[in-house]
Amino acid sequence: MLHGTDRDGSDLDLMVDALPDATLFDLGGLQDELESLLGVLVDLLTPADLAPKVRAKVPAEAQPV
């Protein structure tokens, strides 16, 4: 959506700053809840999940929601 290249069936990529005590179950639950609320597939990542080659680029282009 950010670049205007989304299409029907596109997923929504979201980066979250998880709390230090958040578990994978917490993040998975958040992803499921967001998919239910938004009606689209959600790809939920933390900054640490990003590949090294995009670690600087993605946060610089990110838009808060």
Side-chain angles (χ1 to χ4, degrees):
M1 291 180 65
L2 179 64
H3 297 289
T5 58
D6 59 310
R7 299 184 167 129
D8 286 339
S10 291
D11 67 347
L12 179 61
D13 297 325
L14 294 175
M15 185 171 57
V16 296
D17 289 322
L19 296 173
D21 60 343
T23 67
L24 288 176
F25 290 110
D26 296 328
L27 295 175
L30 175 59
Q31 182 175 348
D32 285 342
E33 186 69 20
L34 288 168
E35 288 177 346
S36 295
L37 290 169
L38 300 173
V40 297
L41 293 176
V42 173
D43 190 8
L44 190 68
L45 299 169
T46 66
D49 295 326
L50 298 173
K53 64 181 180 180
V54 296
R55 238 177 231 155
K57 180 181 176 185
V58 170
E61 291 182 355
Q63 296 293 315
V65 292

